[in-house]
Amino acid sequence: MGIDCKTEFECLLSAADIQKRIKELAAEIDRDYGSDRIMAVGILNGAVLFMADLIRELTVPVEYDFVGFKSYVGSESNGDIEVTKRIKGDIAGKRILIVEDIIDTGRTLCESNLISKLIDKGAVDVKVCCLLDKPSRRTHTVNIHYTGFTIDDQFVVGYGLDYDGLYRNLPYIGIFDPELHK
Ligand code: IMP
Ligand code: MG
């Protein structure tokens, strides 16, 4: 547990842990893309904090946009994936880096067909960068190119991750216990 974890949630990853790992990820991405321009595409709303910190560590040329999907209520998956925000502008010829807070079941990325839609629109290359990977819950195959941390099957909040819209603003990632938050 990091020293900067100061709230009611048991800390899984401190703000310092997260920032250190983001620097490592950015260095890896910089190496892989060389001088190529990246279009980072963050998935709303969870990826906002990760996206903001990650792109500020990159030295390759970056442009960014967001896409929005809505698929969760509380801690459970429910029904269809609703598109709430699309990419504006041309993506033909671009190298896309999808930035996601967490890959859990993999359903959002798979069933939204985001990757194949981007390729259909002319992206030359689509890679996935997630801060957290929960492989034990995977029901849909997702090819992840950059992973911040692999975590156990626990519901977590903070640093973009929510429970019912709350706790996204925490600078650290904590373990959410529904019994304690009724
Ligand atoms: P997937 O479609 O199951 O991979 O889930 C992806 C989305 O579910 C993420 O972008 C999150 O919004 C949400 N999610 C999955 N696990 C958690 C969690 O532990 N805490 C908060 N949100 C989560
Ligand atoms: Mg969410």
Side-chain angles (χ1 to χ4, degrees), residues 1 20 51 78 91 94 138 142 158 160 165 173 181:
M1 185 187 287
K20 177 170 176 281
M51 173 85 139
N78 81 315
I91 57 158
K94 293 187 176 169
R138 200 75 91 255
V142 176
I173 292 173
H181 293 84

Side-chain angles (χ1 to χ4, degrees), residues 72 100-108 134 154-156 161-162:
Y72 269 71
E100 177 59 306
D101 53 357
I102 186 167
I103 311 282
D104 183 27
T105 63
R107 198 176 72 93
T108 308
K134 244 196 249 180
Q154 287 165 313
F155 197 82
V156 291
L161 293 142
D162 71 303

Side-chain angles (χ1 to χ4, degrees), residues 1 6 31 38-39 63-64 85 87 122 140 145 154:
M1 185 187 287
K6 292 196 196 83
R31 270 198 306 275
I38 294 179
M39 175 150 188
E63 61 180 318
Y64 69 84
K85 154 102 180 62
I87 298 175
H140 297 62
H145 303 85
Q154 287 165 313

Side-chain angles (χ1 to χ4, degrees), residues 4-31:
D4 53 354
C5 290
K6 292 196 196 83
T7 70
E8 58 197 300
F9 298 106
E10 183 189 338
C11 183
L12 182 65
L13 297 163
S14 71
D17 295 335
I18 296 167
Q19 297 305 323
K20 177 170 176 281
R21 183 70 187 121
I22 287 175
K23 285 187 169 58
E24 293 169 354
L25 283 175
E28 205 182 324
I29 294 167
D30 272 342
R31 270 198 306 275

Side-chain angles (χ1 to χ4, degrees), residues 19 22-23 25-27 29-30 38-42 47-66 97-100 129 159:
Q19 297 305 323
I22 287 175
K23 285 187 169 58
L25 283 175
I29 294 167
D30 272 342
I38 294 179
M39 175 150 188
V41 174
V48 168
L49 277 71
F50 177 41
M51 173 85 139
D53 286 340
L54 180 71
I55 59 177
R56 282 182 290 180
E57 293 295 335
L58 292 172
T59 60
V60 288
V62 175
E63 61 180 318
Y64 69 84
D65 202 342
F66 290 94
L97 182 66
I98 295 173
V99 179
E100 177 59 306
C129 175
Y159 198 71

